[in-house]
Amino acid sequence: MSPLEKSNPPPAPPTITLPEEGSTTGVATLLLGSGIPDALVQVWSIEYGNALGGGKVSANGRWAFSIGGAQSTGEQGIHARQTWEGVPSEWSAERRYTVVLRPEINVPVVFEPEEGEQVNTLPFFSGDVTQAEGFVNIIDLDTNKVIAKADVDTLKRWRAQVTKPLAPGLHRTSAIHNIDGKVSDWGRVRTFTVTAKGKGKGKGKT
């Protein structure tokens, strides 16, 4: 490198929002936080020194992905870093939480929309849970807003349509089962694309 050339300074580390410090999660919890738009974020286990997942930061500065495998039970520690324009950041502050094999309320399973599916601006969400009570919230991970709420029926199924049209483009969502104010861990990330010609209205799956 010549004296006139300067290397790019490292970007600031990303922040981790979920899982919350001191919380309890399942073995494959949601990882969520903020960073530089279009940067690549990676989350690593501190104890085991292995990558738990990675993905790009959205245009509004949020990243979200589910842990690819299953974590060991007990206390876990994670940290994250982001790479922007080829330059990696330092590691973020550590985040500590406890992993349990059988949580009090299991995460919801999502049937529709399917992963990677194209849907219209008013898609339906459906799935099932392990307890025939309460309701399921669908949260848009890029806006942190509830976009659909579904009551659980006696067959442990749930189904609802979004309350407001979704903007065209890629969407990342997660589901939470709520029973009398107690909530499950975040479900696996479901990614889909909203288009004017996409599916999403009609009877859907049962």
Side-chain angles (χ1 to χ4, degrees):
M1 181 183 298
S2 71
L4 296 178
E5 292 179 323
K6 293 183 179 180
S7 60
N8 292 331
T15 61
I16 300 174
T17 305
L18 294 176
E20 295 179 346
E21 180 70 25
S23 63
T24 299
T25 76
V27 295
T29 191
L30 172 70
L31 302 171
L32 181 145
S34 59
I36 301 172
D38 249 6
L40 175 64
V41 170
Q42 291 182 314
V43 177
W44 285 64
S45 165
I46 296 171
E47 280 77 13
Y48 300 100
N50 62 300
L52 297 176
K56 278 194 172 184
V57 181
S58 68
N60 60 356
R62 291 172 68 87
W63 54 268
F65 42 85
S66 298
I67 289 177
Q71 302 174 95
S72 299
T73 56
E75 185 179 280
Q76 300 291 330
I78 58 173
H79 54 182
R81 65 181 177 187
Q82 62 183 340
T83 300
W84 169 243
E85 295 184 342
V87 181
S89 71
E90 298 292 332
W91 290 103
S92 69
E94 296 182 4
R95 177 58 52 89
R96 295 279 173 180
Y97 57 97
T98 301
V99 174
V100 296
L101 184 61
R102 294 181 178 85
E104 183 177 352
I105 304 175
N106 289 321
V107 298
V109 174
V110 177
F111 296 151
E112 61 176 336
E114 296 179 352
E115 180 67 21
E117 186 177 1
Q118 290 190 351
V119 302
N120 66 24
T121 58
L122 291 169
F124 280 94
F125 288 82
S126 70
D128 64 16
V129 290
T130 58
Q131 296 170 254
E133 54 185 324
F135 60 90
V136 172
N137 277 334
I138 303 295
I139 298 95
D140 187 317
L141 298 175
D142 288 315
T143 63
N144 198 34
K145 293 182 178 179
V146 175
I147 57 174
K149 177 182 175 181
D151 291 327
V152 176
D153 65 22
T154 57
L155 298 177
K156 304 177 184 177
R157 295 179 179 178
W158 55 270
R159 186 171 186 270
Q161 190 175 23
V162 299
T163 55
K164 295 181 180 180
L166 300 180
L170 189 70
H171 287 260
R172 297 177 294 186
T173 61
S174 184
I176 293 177
H177 187 190
N178 187 310
I179 301 176
D180 296 329
K182 295 182 179 180
V183 296
S184 70
D185 191 14
W186 295 74
R188 285 193 176 276
V189 175
R190 178 55 49 91
T191 305
F192 56 90
T193 301
V194 173
T195 68
K197 297 180 180 179
K199 300 183 292 181
K201 298 188 72 172
K203 292 184 177 180
K205 299 176 183 177
T206 59

